[in-house]
Amino acid sequence: MDGKKTRVLVVDDEQSIRDFLTMGLEDEGYSVETAKDGLTALTKMHENPFDIVILDVMMPGMDGYECCRMLKHKYDVVVIMLTAKDQAEDTVKGLKIGADDYLAKPFSFLELLTRMEVRLNSRFPQKNTVIRKGLFSVDNARHEITFENEKLDLTPTEYKLMCLLFDNVNIVISKETIMNKVWGYDYFSSSNVVEVYIRNLREKLQDTSHRYIKTERGFGYKLDVE
């Protein structure tokens, strides 16, 4: 990461797949656009190139293979192909025309994320520099956060919460937003889960005076890195 979000183009003729991947990838910090066919994908790529394309094979008109061939011919872009087919010859065909990776539907979203990270790290190493703000640094490729040059021992949920605060430095984030972004469900006023996890993070930062993670009473929390 170089301070800019990695741009992802999701190309699939199924609206449900486009919506699902958009929601999931945006939650992971990617900038996402979609296209329902190959021609639209090529147009969008020409207008504002993407870093990675998630490309369905079976589409009306221009199929994924032809779209992939044209993308790889003109752009330095990572292409991961998706297909309902799970046969060796389909995989070989996709890889021969330049696809970087191949996933058969249905697929695990976590597996897709992992494959994306691996391919992006390999193709664009300059994007993998650690983001630093004040005494904090985040390495999204390694899923590590350091404070005062010491790696924090965080659970996956603590990591996600800390990243949310880090990405919105000096911006107050409401408890409702935190619940939706970190836990993925609506906030209930009787729940104190946010307070519990904020307390855990403060303990790991030894932030007894709330110097870094600040409470804005009645509004939410913010990370101060100055």
Side-chain angles (χ1 to χ4, degrees), residues 181-214:
K181 293 291 186 180
V182 177
W183 282 270
Y185 54 85
D186 292 335
Y187 169 74
F188 294 98
S189 60
S190 61
S191 173
N192 68 341
V193 66
V194 174
E195 288 86 345
V196 170
Y197 274 83
I198 290 291
R199 183 169 65 247
N200 291 346
L201 289 179
R202 284 171 172 160
E203 289 178 356
K204 293 184 177 183
L205 295 171
Q206 298 183 6
D207 186 18
T208 55
S209 62
H210 303 182
R211 167 69 181 81
Y212 299 104
I213 301 179
K214 295 185 175 181

PDB file of all heavy atoms in Angstrom, residues 181-214:
ATOM      1  N   LYS A 181     -19.129  -2.062  10.812  1.00  0.00           N
ATOM      2  CA  LYS A 181     -17.905  -2.293  10.058  1.00  0.00           C
ATOM      3  C   LYS A 181     -17.099  -3.472  10.584  1.00  0.00           C
ATOM      4  O   LYS A 181     -16.480  -4.218   9.821  1.00  0.00           O
ATOM      5  CB  LYS A 181     -17.031  -1.031  10.070  1.00  0.00           C
ATOM      6  CG  LYS A 181     -17.604   0.146   9.313  1.00  0.00           C
ATOM      7  CD  LYS A 181     -17.607  -0.123   7.817  1.00  0.00           C
ATOM      8  CE  LYS A 181     -18.039   1.103   7.032  1.00  0.00           C
ATOM      9  NZ  LYS A 181     -18.043   0.846   5.562  1.00  0.00           N
ATOM     10  N   VAL A 182     -17.074  -3.637  11.903  1.00  0.00           N
ATOM     11  CA  VAL A 182     -16.230  -4.677  12.507  1.00  0.00           C
ATOM     12  C   VAL A 182     -16.984  -5.980  12.704  1.00  0.00           C
ATOM     13  O   VAL A 182     -16.463  -7.062  12.400  1.00  0.00           O
ATOM     14  CB  VAL A 182     -15.636  -4.186  13.850  1.00  0.00           C
ATOM     15  CG1 VAL A 182     -14.811  -5.293  14.512  1.00  0.00           C
ATOM     16  CG2 VAL A 182     -14.764  -2.948  13.615  1.00  0.00           C
ATOM     17  N   TRP A 183     -18.218  -5.888  13.194  1.00  0.00           N
ATOM     18  CA  TRP A 183     -18.968  -7.110  13.477  1.00  0.00           C
ATOM     19  C   TRP A 183     -19.988  -7.445  12.398  1.00  0.00           C
ATOM     20  O   TRP A 183     -20.449  -8.562  12.314  1.00  0.00           O
ATOM     21  CB  TRP A 183     -19.662  -6.999  14.842  1.00  0.00           C
ATOM     22  CG  TRP A 183     -18.705  -7.230  15.980  1.00  0.00           C
ATOM     23  CD1 TRP A 183     -18.405  -8.432  16.567  1.00  0.00           C
ATOM     24  CD2 TRP A 183     -17.905  -6.247  16.649  1.00  0.00           C
ATOM     25  NE1 TRP A 183     -17.470  -8.250  17.559  1.00  0.00           N
ATOM     26  CE2 TRP A 183     -17.139  -6.921  17.632  1.00  0.00           C
ATOM     27  CE3 TRP A 183     -17.750  -4.876  16.513  1.00  0.00           C
ATOM     28  CZ2 TRP A 183     -16.247  -6.266  18.475  1.00  0.00           C
ATOM     29  CZ3 TRP A 183     -16.867  -4.216  17.345  1.00  0.00           C
ATOM     30  CH2 TRP A 183     -16.124  -4.907  18.315  1.00  0.00           C
ATOM     31  N   GLY A 184     -20.353  -6.463  11.603  1.00  0.00           N
ATOM     32  CA  GLY A 184     -21.209  -6.728  10.463  1.00  0.00           C
ATOM     33  C   GLY A 184     -22.678  -6.883  10.787  1.00  0.00           C
ATOM     34  O   GLY A 184     -23.425  -7.488  10.047  1.00  0.00           O
ATOM     35  N   TYR A 185     -23.118  -6.349  11.918  1.00  0.00           N
ATOM     36  CA  TYR A 185     -24.548  -6.375  12.206  1.00  0.00           C
ATOM     37  C   TYR A 185     -24.929  -5.097  12.939  1.00  0.00           C
ATOM     38  O   TYR A 185     -24.059  -4.343  13.378  1.00  0.00           O
ATOM     39  CB  TYR A 185     -24.950  -7.606  13.035  1.00  0.00           C
ATOM     40  CG  TYR A 185     -24.161  -7.786  14.323  1.00  0.00           C
ATOM     41  CD1 TYR A 185     -24.526  -7.130  15.494  1.00  0.00           C
ATOM     42  CD2 TYR A 185     -23.056  -8.638  14.365  1.00  0.00           C
ATOM     43  CE1 TYR A 185     -23.814  -7.317  16.664  1.00  0.00           C
ATOM     44  CE2 TYR A 185     -22.343  -8.827  15.530  1.00  0.00           C
ATOM     45  CZ  TYR A 185     -22.725  -8.159  16.682  1.00  0.00           C
ATOM     46  OH  TYR A 185     -22.020  -8.341  17.846  1.00  0.00           O
ATOM     47  N   ASP A 186     -26.220  -4.832  13.037  1.00  0.00           N
ATOM     48  CA  ASP A 186     -26.692  -3.579  13.589  1.00  0.00           C
ATOM     49  C   ASP A 186     -26.369  -3.459  15.071  1.00  0.00           C
ATOM     50  O   ASP A 186     -26.338  -4.435  15.817  1.00  0.00           O
ATOM     51  CB  ASP A 186     -28.210  -3.443  13.400  1.00  0.00           C
ATOM     52  CG  ASP A 186     -28.567  -3.273  11.936  1.00  0.00           C
ATOM     53  OD1 ASP A 186     -27.697  -2.804  11.185  1.00  0.00           O
ATOM     54  OD2 ASP A 186     -29.698  -3.621  11.567  1.00  0.00           O
ATOM     55  N   TYR A 187     -26.128  -2.257  15.472  1.00  0.00           N
ATOM     56  CA  TYR A 187     -25.786  -1.954  16.863  1.00  0.00           C
ATOM     57  C   TYR A 187     -27.014  -2.042  17.765  1.00  0.00           C
ATOM     58  O   TYR A 187     -28.093  -1.588  17.405  1.00  0.00           O
ATOM     59  CB  TYR A 187     -25.192  -0.545  16.935  1.00  0.00           C
ATOM     60  CG  TYR A 187     -25.036  -0.014  18.335  1.00  0.00           C
ATOM     61  CD1 TYR A 187     -24.032  -0.493  19.171  1.00  0.00           C
ATOM     62  CD2 TYR A 187     -25.891   0.977  18.809  1.00  0.00           C
ATOM     63  CE1 TYR A 187     -23.889   0.001  20.451  1.00  0.00           C
ATOM     64  CE2 TYR A 187     -25.752   1.483  20.086  1.00  0.00           C
ATOM     65  CZ  TYR A 187     -24.747   0.987  20.899  1.00  0.00           C
ATOM     66  OH  TYR A 187     -24.601   1.485  22.170  1.00  0.00           O
ATOM     67  N   PHE A 188     -26.842  -2.648  18.924  1.00  0.00           N
ATOM     68  CA  PHE A 188     -27.896  -2.700  19.927  1.00  0.00           C
ATOM     69  C   PHE A 188     -27.423  -1.935  21.162  1.00  0.00           C
ATOM     70  O   PHE A 188     -26.303  -2.154  21.643  1.00  0.00           O
ATOM     71  CB  PHE A 188     -28.215  -4.145  20.315  1.00  0.00           C
ATOM     72  CG  PHE A 188     -28.821  -4.941  19.186  1.00  0.00           C
ATOM     73  CD1 PHE A 188     -28.035  -5.779  18.408  1.00  0.00           C
ATOM     74  CD2 PHE A 188     -30.166  -4.827  18.891  1.00  0.00           C
ATOM     75  CE1 PHE A 188     -28.582  -6.496  17.358  1.00  0.00           C
ATOM     76  CE2 PHE A 188     -30.726  -5.552  17.844  1.00  0.00           C
ATOM     77  CZ  PHE A 188     -29.933  -6.385  17.083  1.00  0.00           C
ATOM     78  N   SER A 189     -28.245  -1.039  21.649  1.00  0.00           N
ATOM     79  CA  SER A 189     -27.838  -0.152  22.735  1.00  0.00           C
ATOM     80  C   SER A 189     -27.456  -0.904  24.004  1.00  0.00           C
ATOM     81  O   SER A 189     -26.703  -0.406  24.833  1.00  0.00           O
ATOM     82  CB  SER A 189     -28.960   0.848  23.042  1.00  0.00           C
ATOM     83  OG  SER A 189     -30.146   0.171  23.435  1.00  0.00           O
ATOM     84  N   SER A 190     -27.975  -2.113  24.174  1.00  0.00           N
ATOM     85  CA  SER A 190     -27.674  -2.873  25.385  1.00  0.00           C
ATOM     86  C   SER A 190     -26.311  -3.560  25.317  1.00  0.00           C
ATOM     87  O   SER A 190     -25.812  -4.089  26.303  1.00  0.00           O
ATOM     88  CB  SER A 190     -28.755  -3.927  25.629  1.00  0.00           C
ATOM     89  OG  SER A 190     -28.799  -4.835  24.533  1.00  0.00           O
ATOM     90  N   SER A 191     -25.700  -3.555  24.140  1.00  0.00           N
ATOM     91  CA  SER A 191     -24.428  -4.248  23.974  1.00  0.00           C
ATOM     92  C   SER A 191     -23.265  -3.341  24.344  1.00  0.00           C
ATOM     93  O   SER A 191     -23.227  -2.176  23.972  1.00  0.00           O
ATOM     94  CB  SER A 191     -24.269  -4.716  22.523  1.00  0.00           C
ATOM     95  OG  SER A 191     -22.978  -5.251  22.318  1.00  0.00           O
ATOM     96  N   ASN A 192     -22.278  -3.893  25.094  1.00  0.00           N
ATOM     97  CA  ASN A 192     -21.089  -3.119  25.448  1.00  0.00           C
ATOM     98  C   ASN A 192     -19.847  -3.707  24.795  1.00  0.00           C
ATOM     99  O   ASN A 192     -18.735  -3.499  25.260  1.00  0.00           O
ATOM    100  CB  ASN A 192     -20.921  -3.056  26.963  1.00  0.00           C
ATOM    101  CG  ASN A 192     -20.581  -4.423  27.567  1.00  0.00           C
ATOM    102  OD1 ASN A 192     -20.823  -5.455  26.921  1.00  0.00           O
ATOM    103  ND2 ASN A 192     -20.024  -4.427  28.767  1.00  0.00           N
ATOM    104  N   VAL A 193     -20.047  -4.454  23.688  1.00  0.00           N
ATOM    105  CA  VAL A 193     -18.923  -5.124  23.049  1.00  0.00           C
ATOM    106  C   VAL A 193     -17.886  -4.119  22.547  1.00  0.00           C
ATOM    107  O   VAL A 193     -16.677  -4.380  22.611  1.00  0.00           O
ATOM    108  CB  VAL A 193     -19.404  -6.043  21.912  1.00  0.00           C
ATOM    109  CG1 VAL A 193     -20.021  -5.240  20.776  1.00  0.00           C
ATOM    110  CG2 VAL A 193     -18.265  -6.903  21.384  1.00  0.00           C
ATOM    111  N   VAL A 194     -18.328  -2.965  22.049  1.00  0.00           N
ATOM    112  CA  VAL A 194     -17.374  -1.965  21.562  1.00  0.00           C
ATOM    113  C   VAL A 194     -16.502  -1.476  22.705  1.00  0.00           C
ATOM    114  O   VAL A 194     -15.273  -1.378  22.571  1.00  0.00           O
ATOM    115  CB  VAL A 194     -18.110  -0.784  20.900  1.00  0.00           C
ATOM    116  CG1 VAL A 194     -17.103   0.317  20.522  1.00  0.00           C
ATOM    117  CG2 VAL A 194     -18.853  -1.248  19.661  1.00  0.00           C
ATOM    118  N   GLU A 195     -17.121  -1.169  23.834  1.00  0.00           N
ATOM    119  CA  GLU A 195     -16.354  -0.693  24.991  1.00  0.00           C
ATOM    120  C   GLU A 195     -15.317  -1.733  25.432  1.00  0.00           C
ATOM    121  O   GLU A 195     -14.186  -1.388  25.788  1.00  0.00           O
ATOM    122  CB  GLU A 195     -17.300  -0.374  26.157  1.00  0.00           C
ATOM    123  CG  GLU A 195     -18.143   0.868  25.963  1.00  0.00           C
ATOM    124  CD  GLU A 195     -19.431   0.599  25.203  1.00  0.00           C
ATOM    125  OE1 GLU A 195     -19.560  -0.480  24.584  1.00  0.00           O
ATOM    126  OE2 GLU A 195     -20.309   1.492  25.220  1.00  0.00           O
ATOM    127  N   VAL A 196     -15.721  -3.002  25.405  1.00  0.00           N
ATOM    128  CA  VAL A 196     -14.810  -4.070  25.821  1.00  0.00           C
ATOM    129  C   VAL A 196     -13.585  -4.118  24.913  1.00  0.00           C
ATOM    130  O   VAL A 196     -12.446  -4.203  25.377  1.00  0.00           O
ATOM    131  CB  VAL A 196     -15.532  -5.436  25.815  1.00  0.00           C
ATOM    132  CG1 VAL A 196     -14.526  -6.577  26.000  1.00  0.00           C
ATOM    133  CG2 VAL A 196     -16.593  -5.477  26.911  1.00  0.00           C
ATOM    134  N   TYR A 197     -13.803  -4.049  23.609  1.00  0.00           N
ATOM    135  CA  TYR A 197     -12.683  -4.141  22.670  1.00  0.00           C
ATOM    136  C   TYR A 197     -11.831  -2.878  22.676  1.00  0.00           C
ATOM    137  O   TYR A 197     -10.608  -2.949  22.494  1.00  0.00           O
ATOM    138  CB  TYR A 197     -13.196  -4.457  21.262  1.00  0.00           C
ATOM    139  CG  TYR A 197     -13.368  -5.935  21.039  1.00  0.00           C
ATOM    140  CD1 TYR A 197     -14.511  -6.600  21.463  1.00  0.00           C
ATOM    141  CD2 TYR A 197     -12.366  -6.687  20.431  1.00  0.00           C
ATOM    142  CE1 TYR A 197     -14.667  -7.971  21.286  1.00  0.00           C
ATOM    143  CE2 TYR A 197     -12.511  -8.052  20.235  1.00  0.00           C
ATOM    144  CZ  TYR A 197     -13.660  -8.684  20.662  1.00  0.00           C
ATOM    145  OH  TYR A 197     -13.791 -10.036  20.483  1.00  0.00           O
ATOM    146  N   ILE A 198     -12.448  -1.718  22.881  1.00  0.00           N
ATOM    147  CA  ILE A 198     -11.665  -0.488  23.024  1.00  0.00           C
ATOM    148  C   ILE A 198     -10.769  -0.587  24.253  1.00  0.00           C
ATOM    149  O   ILE A 198      -9.580  -0.213  24.216  1.00  0.00           O
ATOM    150  CB  ILE A 198     -12.594   0.740  23.134  1.00  0.00           C
ATOM    151  CG1 ILE A 198     -13.279   1.019  21.793  1.00  0.00           C
ATOM    152  CG2 ILE A 198     -11.812   1.962  23.611  1.00  0.00           C
ATOM    153  CD1 ILE A 198     -12.366   1.518  20.699  1.00  0.00           C
ATOM    154  N   ARG A 199     -11.304  -1.124  25.343  1.00  0.00           N
ATOM    155  CA  ARG A 199     -10.501  -1.300  26.559  1.00  0.00           C
ATOM    156  C   ARG A 199      -9.338  -2.261  26.312  1.00  0.00           C
ATOM    157  O   ARG A 199      -8.214  -2.019  26.773  1.00  0.00           O
ATOM    158  CB  ARG A 199     -11.385  -1.816  27.705  1.00  0.00           C
ATOM    159  CG  ARG A 199     -10.617  -1.948  29.030  1.00  0.00           C
ATOM    160  CD  ARG A 199     -11.557  -2.206  30.203  1.00  0.00           C
ATOM    161  NE  ARG A 199     -12.249  -3.484  30.090  1.00  0.00           N
ATOM    162  CZ  ARG A 199     -13.550  -3.612  29.900  1.00  0.00           C
ATOM    163  NH1 ARG A 199     -14.322  -2.538  29.777  1.00  0.00           N
ATOM    164  NH2 ARG A 199     -14.111  -4.802  29.822  1.00  0.00           N
ATOM    165  N   ASN A 200      -9.603  -3.334  25.567  1.00  0.00           N
ATOM    166  CA  ASN A 200      -8.534  -4.284  25.255  1.00  0.00           C
ATOM    167  C   ASN A 200      -7.414  -3.612  24.459  1.00  0.00           C
ATOM    168  O   ASN A 200      -6.227  -3.838  24.719  1.00  0.00           O
ATOM    169  CB  ASN A 200      -9.096  -5.465  24.451  1.00  0.00           C
ATOM    170  CG  ASN A 200     -10.003  -6.352  25.265  1.00  0.00           C
ATOM    171  OD1 ASN A 200     -10.036  -6.270  26.490  1.00  0.00           O
ATOM    172  ND2 ASN A 200     -10.761  -7.199  24.596  1.00  0.00           N
ATOM    173  N   LEU A 201      -7.791  -2.803  23.474  1.00  0.00           N
ATOM    174  CA  LEU A 201      -6.782  -2.118  22.667  1.00  0.00           C
ATOM    175  C   LEU A 201      -5.975  -1.140  23.518  1.00  0.00           C
ATOM    176  O   LEU A 201      -4.748  -1.047  23.387  1.00  0.00           O
ATOM    177  CB  LEU A 201      -7.446  -1.374  21.508  1.00  0.00           C
ATOM    178  CG  LEU A 201      -8.014  -2.231  20.375  1.00  0.00           C
ATOM    179  CD1 LEU A 201      -8.667  -1.341  19.318  1.00  0.00           C
ATOM    180  CD2 LEU A 201      -6.930  -3.085  19.729  1.00  0.00           C
ATOM    181  N   ARG A 202      -6.642  -0.417  24.389  1.00  0.00           N
ATOM    182  CA  ARG A 202      -5.932   0.525  25.253  1.00  0.00           C
ATOM    183  C   ARG A 202      -4.943  -0.195  26.155  1.00  0.00           C
ATOM    184  O   ARG A 202      -3.822   0.287  26.390  1.00  0.00           O
ATOM    185  CB  ARG A 202      -6.933   1.325  26.089  1.00  0.00           C
ATOM    186  CG  ARG A 202      -7.648   2.424  25.301  1.00  0.00           C
ATOM    187  CD  ARG A 202      -8.775   3.040  26.095  1.00  0.00           C
ATOM    188  NE  ARG A 202      -9.327   4.220  25.415  1.00  0.00           N
ATOM    189  CZ  ARG A 202     -10.523   4.722  25.673  1.00  0.00           C
ATOM    190  NH1 ARG A 202     -11.328   4.130  26.559  1.00  0.00           N
ATOM    191  NH2 ARG A 202     -10.936   5.803  25.033  1.00  0.00           N
ATOM    192  N   GLU A 203      -5.337  -1.356  26.659  1.00  0.00           N
ATOM    193  CA  GLU A 203      -4.419  -2.118  27.509  1.00  0.00           C
ATOM    194  C   GLU A 203      -3.192  -2.547  26.732  1.00  0.00           C
ATOM    195  O   GLU A 203      -2.060  -2.474  27.240  1.00  0.00           O
ATOM    196  CB  GLU A 203      -5.140  -3.344  28.081  1.00  0.00           C
ATOM    197  CG  GLU A 203      -6.190  -3.003  29.139  1.00  0.00           C
ATOM    198  CD  GLU A 203      -6.922  -4.229  29.639  1.00  0.00           C
ATOM    199  OE1 GLU A 203      -6.659  -5.341  29.105  1.00  0.00           O
ATOM    200  OE2 GLU A 203      -7.763  -4.094  30.556  1.00  0.00           O
ATOM    201  N   LYS A 204      -3.376  -2.976  25.485  1.00  0.00           N
ATOM    202  CA  LYS A 204      -2.237  -3.435  24.685  1.00  0.00           C
ATOM    203  C   LYS A 204      -1.344  -2.283  24.250  1.00  0.00           C
ATOM    204  O   LYS A 204      -0.148  -2.480  23.990  1.00  0.00           O
ATOM    205  CB  LYS A 204      -2.739  -4.229  23.483  1.00  0.00           C
ATOM    206  CG  LYS A 204      -3.402  -5.545  23.910  1.00  0.00           C
ATOM    207  CD  LYS A 204      -3.847  -6.417  22.764  1.00  0.00           C
ATOM    208  CE  LYS A 204      -4.427  -7.728  23.306  1.00  0.00           C
ATOM    209  NZ  LYS A 204      -4.818  -8.683  22.246  1.00  0.00           N
ATOM    210  N   LEU A 205      -1.919  -1.077  24.189  1.00  0.00           N
ATOM    211  CA  LEU A 205      -1.122   0.112  23.891  1.00  0.00           C
ATOM    212  C   LEU A 205      -0.568   0.759  25.155  1.00  0.00           C
ATOM    213  O   LEU A 205       0.181   1.736  25.054  1.00  0.00           O
ATOM    214  CB  LEU A 205      -1.978   1.148  23.149  1.00  0.00           C
ATOM    215  CG  LEU A 205      -2.476   0.772  21.750  1.00  0.00           C
ATOM    216  CD1 LEU A 205      -3.494   1.803  21.257  1.00  0.00           C
ATOM    217  CD2 LEU A 205      -1.308   0.678  20.782  1.00  0.00           C
ATOM    218  N   GLN A 206      -0.962   0.218  26.319  1.00  0.00           N
ATOM    219  CA  GLN A 206      -0.630   0.819  27.606  1.00  0.00           C
ATOM    220  C   GLN A 206      -1.092   2.272  27.637  1.00  0.00           C
ATOM    221  O   GLN A 206      -0.404   3.169  28.142  1.00  0.00           O
ATOM    222  CB  GLN A 206       0.868   0.706  27.894  1.00  0.00           C
ATOM    223  CG  GLN A 206       1.360  -0.726  27.990  1.00  0.00           C
ATOM    224  CD  GLN A 206       2.825  -0.847  28.335  1.00  0.00           C
ATOM    225  OE1 GLN A 206       3.507   0.136  28.631  1.00  0.00           O
ATOM    226  NE2 GLN A 206       3.335  -2.068  28.318  1.00  0.00           N
ATOM    227  N   ASP A 207      -2.264   2.471  27.099  1.00  0.00           N
ATOM    228  CA  ASP A 207      -2.825   3.808  26.957  1.00  0.00           C
ATOM    229  C   ASP A 207      -3.775   4.095  28.111  1.00  0.00           C
ATOM    230  O   ASP A 207      -4.977   4.307  27.926  1.00  0.00           O
ATOM    231  CB  ASP A 207      -3.549   3.903  25.604  1.00  0.00           C
ATOM    232  CG  ASP A 207      -4.049   5.296  25.278  1.00  0.00           C
ATOM    233  OD1 ASP A 207      -3.567   6.254  25.912  1.00  0.00           O
ATOM    234  OD2 ASP A 207      -4.908   5.428  24.380  1.00  0.00           O
ATOM    235  N   THR A 208      -3.248   4.131  29.312  1.00  0.00           N
ATOM    236  CA  THR A 208      -4.085   4.301  30.504  1.00  0.00           C
ATOM    237  C   THR A 208      -4.716   5.687  30.580  1.00  0.00           C
ATOM    238  O   THR A 208      -5.776   5.866  31.179  1.00  0.00           O
ATOM    239  CB  THR A 208      -3.258   4.056  31.770  1.00  0.00           C
ATOM    240  OG1 THR A 208      -2.106   4.924  31.762  1.00  0.00           O
ATOM    241  CG2 THR A 208      -2.779   2.606  31.839  1.00  0.00           C
ATOM    242  N   SER A 209      -4.073   6.667  29.964  1.00  0.00           N
ATOM    243  CA  SER A 209      -4.602   8.036  30.006  1.00  0.00           C
ATOM    244  C   SER A 209      -5.462   8.366  28.790  1.00  0.00           C
ATOM    245  O   SER A 209      -5.894   9.518  28.635  1.00  0.00           O
ATOM    246  CB  SER A 209      -3.447   9.037  30.092  1.00  0.00           C
ATOM    247  OG  SER A 209      -2.625   8.949  28.936  1.00  0.00           O
ATOM    248  N   HIS A 210      -5.701   7.363  27.942  1.00  0.00           N
ATOM    249  CA  HIS A 210      -6.507   7.548  26.724  1.00  0.00           C
ATOM    250  C   HIS A 210      -5.895   8.612  25.819  1.00  0.00           C
ATOM    251  O   HIS A 210      -6.610   9.404  25.198  1.00  0.00           O
ATOM    252  CB  HIS A 210      -7.952   7.904  27.059  1.00  0.00           C
ATOM    253  CG  HIS A 210      -8.626   6.882  27.923  1.00  0.00           C
ATOM    254  ND1 HIS A 210      -9.952   6.985  28.313  1.00  0.00           N
ATOM    255  CD2 HIS A 210      -8.176   5.714  28.479  1.00  0.00           C
ATOM    256  CE1 HIS A 210     -10.270   5.946  29.064  1.00  0.00           C
ATOM    257  NE2 HIS A 210      -9.205   5.167  29.182  1.00  0.00           N
ATOM    258  N   ARG A 211      -4.569   8.605  25.752  1.00  0.00           N
ATOM    259  CA  ARG A 211      -3.845   9.573  24.926  1.00  0.00           C
ATOM    260  C   ARG A 211      -4.048   9.300  23.444  1.00  0.00           C
ATOM    261  O   ARG A 211      -4.122  10.237  22.640  1.00  0.00           O
ATOM    262  CB  ARG A 211      -2.347   9.494  25.265  1.00  0.00           C
ATOM    263  CG  ARG A 211      -1.417  10.202  24.288  1.00  0.00           C
ATOM    264  CD  ARG A 211      -1.567  11.703  24.346  1.00  0.00           C
ATOM    265  NE  ARG A 211      -0.696  12.358  23.385  1.00  0.00           N
ATOM    266  CZ  ARG A 211      -0.964  12.492  22.089  1.00  0.00           C
ATOM    267  NH1 ARG A 211      -2.107  12.007  21.609  1.00  0.00           N
ATOM    268  NH2 ARG A 211      -0.127  13.104  21.268  1.00  0.00           N
ATOM    269  N   TYR A 212      -4.152   8.038  23.069  1.00  0.00           N
ATOM    270  CA  TYR A 212      -4.233   7.674  21.654  1.00  0.00           C
ATOM    271  C   TYR A 212      -5.659   7.335  21.222  1.00  0.00           C
ATOM    272  O   TYR A 212      -6.138   7.841  20.220  1.00  0.00           O
ATOM    273  CB  TYR A 212      -3.278   6.519  21.359  1.00  0.00           C
ATOM    274  CG  TYR A 212      -1.844   6.893  21.636  1.00  0.00           C
ATOM    275  CD1 TYR A 212      -1.187   6.435  22.779  1.00  0.00           C
ATOM    276  CD2 TYR A 212      -1.155   7.741  20.786  1.00  0.00           C
ATOM    277  CE1 TYR A 212       0.124   6.805  23.047  1.00  0.00           C
ATOM    278  CE2 TYR A 212       0.151   8.121  21.035  1.00  0.00           C
ATOM    279  CZ  TYR A 212       0.792   7.652  22.172  1.00  0.00           C
ATOM    280  OH  TYR A 212       2.081   8.037  22.447  1.00  0.00           O
ATOM    281  N   ILE A 213      -6.307   6.442  21.946  1.00  0.00           N
ATOM    282  CA  ILE A 213      -7.701   6.136  21.632  1.00  0.00           C
ATOM    283  C   ILE A 213      -8.576   6.963  22.559  1.00  0.00           C
ATOM    284  O   ILE A 213      -8.655   6.710  23.764  1.00  0.00           O
ATOM    285  CB  ILE A 213      -8.004   4.631  21.795  1.00  0.00           C
ATOM    286  CG1 ILE A 213      -7.108   3.803  20.868  1.00  0.00           C
ATOM    287  CG2 ILE A 213      -9.476   4.354  21.490  1.00  0.00           C
ATOM    288  CD1 ILE A 213      -7.322   2.313  20.972  1.00  0.00           C
ATOM    289  N   LYS A 214      -9.211   7.961  21.975  1.00  0.00           N
ATOM    290  CA  LYS A 214      -9.977   8.919  22.767  1.00  0.00           C
ATOM    291  C   LYS A 214     -11.478   8.655  22.671  1.00  0.00           C
ATOM    292  O   LYS A 214     -11.984   8.252  21.616  1.00  0.00           O
ATOM    293  CB  LYS A 214      -9.671  10.340  22.297  1.00  0.00           C
ATOM    294  CG  LYS A 214      -8.232  10.759  22.540  1.00  0.00           C
ATOM    295  CD  LYS A 214      -7.993  12.209  22.168  1.00  0.00           C
ATOM    296  CE  LYS A 214      -6.576  12.620  22.543  1.00  0.00           C
ATOM    297  NZ  LYS A 214      -6.311  14.046  22.205  1.00  0.00           N
TER     298      LYS A 214
END
